[in-house]
Amino acid sequence: MEDKYIASIDLGSSKFGLCVARINGDDIQIVYYKETPSEGIRTSIISNPMRASEKLKAAVQEAEKELMIHILQVVVGMPRNEVEQVTASATIKRTDPDEYITEEELQNLKSIALETYPLQDPERQIMFGAVAQSFSIDDEIQLVESDVVGTLSSTIEGNFKVFIGNRRATTALDKIFNSLNIAVAKKYFLPDVVARTVLTEEEKNSGVALIDFGAGVTSVSIYQGGIMRYYASIPFGGRSVTEDIRTECSISEDLAEKIKKRFGACLPGKLASLSEKVLQIRLTEPYKEVPVRYISEIIDCRCREIVEAVLYYIQESGLQNNIRGGVVVTGGGAELANFIPLIKEMSGYEVRKGYPRFIFSATAGSGVYSTAATAAIGMVLAAKEDKLPDCVNMPEPQPEPEKVEIEVTDQTEPPVDMLFNPDDFGKPVEKEEKKKEPRTKKVKVTKTKDADKHGFFSVLWTSTKETALRIYDKANEE
């Protein structure tokens, strides 16, 4: 079975995560993953396509150069913010009730539900996707997809959660990749693909809340019975924490981000001896001193606000008592110190950090196993299941260089201390030469593909400047 490659790009508010995977059957190997700072994206929505395109172009070119490939198409994620959640249903009458119900019929039912749902503002809204909630057949109701396939029925009815987003956001996505001459193979609704990466089947069946703490958006997805039952997002994330530090300490955003990553933590009461440390910022005169505990208090205040909003949406879903698998936190913000204990303290749920599960191998470094990589990895896994075509073009193998032999007439012995300078071609040589009988040597010359283009051979050695010039002429003659 031949290898194929899948490229995915996570367009985050603070970074672009570009991932390339080699697929061979069921084997998935991540061969490239790198994050670069992003521009032109706010709360996961593209606000400035031109600036985002310039940054992304550099990231794509770097990946192509390192892997020696040409990326033809990619899979990308749609924005997580400004997403409306509605319910839709559809019913079909089967032409042959005595035939087994197939997965294709259920997919057609989903397509019908999406096509027939009346958007309130079609010029501004677009369908991001749908998740099947339950199916009903002649004799049974409230069945999941796996229970329906293979049964017999004259009708099928399906109920779906439909996610509606901003059309302008997807138009900007297309604009960016058109400018890069890269096709968009598929757009994915990110909460669903992230869940494939970090959640186990046991967690999704027993009930779990997945919190994706990104830079611009924090979202919560609730799974129960193996199906995503609820989704909500808030336009605050790690960048809001950085902005609070920048404002309160009167420093640059870049310095605030570095301080957050190096010294930032929630729950200032649990900092132990670190709370007594004071940071000296030597950018002004006199030096500015900021206690680590004060930074922690700033972070703790914003993080509590985010967690309270998440818990509000969990309560609003009506599934708060069905979350037996606890809470899983992923995204770059999940690495913030004491953030997991803060959620546990405020919610009472069991909480764990959501890393990519080991369902693939990687040669791309340790970053591919971080919480920030879950979206890019999830899109690769989804694209593999959807059997998308090869996303890259490999360079053609170069032919072996052709070796030829030419005869060179050498009038003199090569001087031992002579340094050959190609710029001296054609200049007279001021050197007394002893008369010697001409002798002929055979010199092996490698003729490369570039030789035909530039009109010269690369020689193994030359005895004199005149000899080198003659070799040049001989190459041109051939």
Side-chain angles (χ1 to χ4, degrees), residues 248-359:
E248 293 296 325
C249 300
S250 300
I251 56 179
S252 67
E253 182 179 352
D254 182 61
L255 181 58
E257 179 70 14
K258 291 177 180 178
I259 290 175
K260 181 186 74 173
K261 290 183 176 179
R262 180 66 181 86
F263 300 101
C266 304
L267 300 174
K270 294 187 178 182
L271 292 180
S273 61
L274 187 62
S275 63
E276 302 172 3
K277 305 294 182 183
V278 177
L279 301 181
Q280 271 194 350
I281 303 175
R282 302 192 174 192
L283 299 177
T284 59
E285 189 68 38
Y287 301 148
K288 183 179 296 185
E289 294 186 345
V290 181
V292 172
R293 183 181 179 87
Y294 179 59
I295 294 172
S296 179
E297 289 171 352
I298 297 171
I299 294 172
D300 186 78
C301 183
R302 176 64 75 173
C303 287
R304 285 181 181 275
E305 179 182 325
I306 292 173
V307 174
E308 285 173 357
V310 168
L311 294 178
Y312 166 80
Y313 284 119
I314 292 176
Q315 189 78 18
E316 185 185 63
S317 71
L319 300 169
Q320 66 274 14
N321 296 327
N322 296 330
I323 304 178
R324 295 182 176 86
V327 174
V328 177
V329 186
T330 191
E335 300 296 339
L336 189 63
N338 289 343
F339 186 62
I340 302 300
L342 174 65
I343 299 176
K344 187 173 182 179
E345 177 186 287
M346 295 180 64
S347 67
Y349 293 118
E350 288 297 321
V351 186
R352 74 170 179 88
K353 200 176 293 185
Y355 295 102
R357 293 185 294 132
F358 290 90
I359 52 181

Side-chain angles (χ1 to χ4, degrees), residues 395-401 449-450:
E396 296 182 0
Q398 298 295 324
E400 290 293 326
K449 183 177 180 181
D450 289 337

Side-chain angles (χ1 to χ4, degrees), residues 63-70 393-395:
E64 290 180 332
K65 183 178 180 181
E66 181 171 330
L67 297 176
M68 294 185 294
I69 61 174
H70 179 53
N393 183 25
M394 304 298 290

Side-chain angles (χ1 to χ4, degrees), residues 84-88 113-114 117 127 129-131 160-164:
E84 183 183 356
Q85 180 182 245
V86 298
T87 58
L114 290 174
Y117 184 84
M127 299 284 189
V131 176
F160 305 91
K161 287 283 187 184
V162 178
F163 303 100
I164 302 172

Side-chain angles (χ1 to χ4, degrees), residues 133-161:
Q133 301 296 298
S134 65
F135 295 94
S136 300
I137 55 178
D138 290 344
D139 302 323
E140 297 182 78
I141 62 173
Q142 298 295 313
L143 299 175
V144 297
E145 183 174 338
S146 58
D147 293 335
V148 175
V149 175
T151 61
L152 303 175
S153 178
S154 60
T155 61
I156 313 174
E157 180 181 355
N159 298 302
F160 305 91
K161 287 283 187 184

